[in-house]
Structures are given as C-alpha cells and as structure tokens.
Amino acid sequence: MQIDIVSLFPALCKGVLSESVIGRAWKEGIVNINLVDLRDYTHDARKTVDDKPYGGGAGMVLRPEPLFECLQDLRTPDAHVVLMTPQGTPFNQPTARRFATMSHLILVCGHYEGVDERVRQCLMDEELSIGDYVLTNGAIAASVVTDAVVRLLPGALGNDESSEEESFGNEPLLEYPQFTRPVDYKGMKVPEVLLSGNHQEVDAWRLEQRVLRTVSRRPDLL
Ligand code: ADE
C-alpha cells in the first residue's frame, strides 16, 4: 500500500511512524509512506503557503495553488484523497478497515484556520476528524490514521499481536480485562475463573466483562 502524507511538518510524522509496528511494516515494504512537504510546491523565496482570509477574521488560510500542484503530482487513478480537519466525519475502525483495502491513500493535513474552500470542493474525496478537539496541525491526525490503517495490513502485526480479537474488531464491544503473573499482587488477586483451565467458563466470563464494560463506558456503541 502507498500512503502519501502532505503536510507542513513531515518530520513530525516521520518520528511517530518510524517506530515499532508501523516502522517495521514500512521497512519491510508492507507500506510505503511518502512524507511530502507542502512548501516544496511554493514558488516564492519565503515558501509562503498561507494568506489572510477574504472577509476578514483571525488566522491564516492555506492557499489553493500549492495543494493543487502537489495533488496533481501525487494523484494516481486509484488514489483516495482525504483532508484531515476537525470539521470532517469522525474516524473510526470501520473507516480504518475500509482504507486498509485501498492501494493508494493521500492524507492532506490542514493547518492554521483551515484550507481554501476550493481545495475542499475540487480535490478531496473525503474529510476526516480524529475527534472533537482541535490539534495544532493535521500531521498528528494523519499519523493516527496511518497507524490505525497500517497495523491492519496483512503481515504488519506478528501472530501474537492479532487485530481480530480486539475492541472495535468485529463486534462493537470493548475488550475484557487482562491479567498476568503474579496471581496475587499486594492482595489483589487474579479472578479464579481465569485460573480454572475451563475454556468455556473463561470465554463466558470474558464476554460478560466485555458487555459490562461497554454498557458502563461506551453505551453509544451498543
Ligand atoms: N486538525 C486539527 N484538529 C484535527 C482533528 N481533530 N482531526 C483531524 N484533523 C485535525
């Protein structure tokens, strides 16, 4: 899979995505991540990417020209182009799974007060938010989306890190509580059922815990 991330802070994404599972998948060629600096598509000495909004108001808006030129360069017939913005639809696991089936994703990071509306209208297939809060720039949001997508690609996770039995896997239930050694830590004991060796009872307990957790923490998922 090819993922292009267009931003003003490519080094920010590089740090996050070069480590751990995603770093390994990148090195092994399971994904190729191309970090594109939007300033490379400017033509003035100061590499200007933004300007004041027409109509007045605070903040700066990303100008259309660098983004139009950049996407002309990057776009392929299979490319799916996504703008990261707090005004987008909420990113979730079904969207991560949908993206993981694509061959070419282009994530465009907004900045300042936003991007010129013509960019949204002409260049974007979709607009995504990673949550109801405002980040300083979309590079962090694009890194989050890239992480969630790449870990789903075949071969990205080891056998002991499977993505099948997890919260937001196939059922909309949170994960059950996990315990490891020691069996008694400062008087806090591992539930008996997990020590019983009875797999049916363990499975039933885990399902019950998943439902209880989801009801108390995330009733909106049910
Ligand atoms: N850019 C700034 N805040 C964001 C958010 N919550 N989601 C996506 N992109 C963003």
Side-chain angles (χ1 to χ4, degrees):
M1 179 181 196
Q2 170 76 23
I3 302 182
D4 299 318
I5 303 179
V6 179
S7 84
L8 295 171
F9 303 101
L12 214 155
C13 301
K14 187 164 191 196
V16 175
L17 300 172
S18 299
E19 299 287 329
S20 182
V21 171
I22 310 305
R24 199 174 60 215
W26 190 356
K27 262 193 218 112
E28 288 176 1
I30 292 169
V31 64
N32 181 44
I33 302 172
N34 177 29
L35 300 173
V36 181
D37 189 339
L38 186 61
R39 291 193 198 278
D40 290 345
Y41 291 88
T42 55
H43 302 287
D44 61 317
R46 296 183 61 215
K47 295 185 180 285
T48 311
V49 289
D50 58 341
D51 213 328
K52 289 183 288 220
Y54 279 119
M60 301 289 267
V61 176
L62 284 184
R63 292 173 61 114
E65 308 95 313
L67 281 165
F68 270 82
E69 282 183 35
C70 176
L71 284 169
Q72 192 165 14
D73 244 13
L74 298 179
R75 199 186 281 277
T76 60
D78 293 335
H80 187 71
V81 186
V82 180
L83 178 68
M84 301 310 306
T85 163
Q87 295 174 60
T89 53
F91 180 63
N92 57 19
Q93 194 65 16
T95 305
R97 282 198 288 266
R98 177 163 58 88
F99 285 0
T101 66
M102 295 175 175
S103 56
H104 187 189
L105 194 58
I106 304 178
L107 301 176
V108 177
C109 306
H111 194 51
Y112 309 122
E113 293 307 299
V115 304
D116 187 282
E117 189 63 20
R118 291 162 289 191
V119 168
R120 296 191 126 94
Q121 286 170 355
C122 301
L123 300 180
M124 299 301 153
D125 295 314
E126 180 165 357
E127 297 183 26
L128 278 187
S129 162
I130 63 159
D132 291 340
Y133 40 78
V134 181
L135 301 165
T136 51
N137 69 80
I140 298 165
S143 300
V144 168
V145 169
T146 301
D147 186 291
V149 172
V150 173
R151 67 185 286 286
L152 297 175
L153 298 177
L157 291 180
N159 286 340
D160 54 348
E161 304 166 308
S162 164
S163 64
E164 273 169 28
E165 241 197 73
E166 62 186 3
S167 300
F168 316 114
N170 293 321
E171 308 113 359
L173 290 176
L174 300 182
E175 275 201 73
Y176 47 77
Q178 297 275 24
F179 295 88
T180 185
R181 280 184 288 206
V183 79
D184 183 336
Y185 181 64
K186 296 184 176 174
M188 294 178 282
K189 296 200 175 68
V190 174
E192 281 293 334
V193 61
L194 298 179
L195 311 173
S196 68
N198 182 330
H199 293 301
Q200 269 181 342
E201 277 183 26
V202 169
D203 286 349
W205 180 85
R206 285 180 166 169
L207 181 60
E208 183 189 20
Q209 292 295 315
R210 295 183 73 187
V211 173
L212 289 173
R213 269 199 172 178
T214 310
V215 167
S216 70
R217 299 180 187 189
R218 293 292 306 276
D220 57 297
L221 292 176
L222 293 170

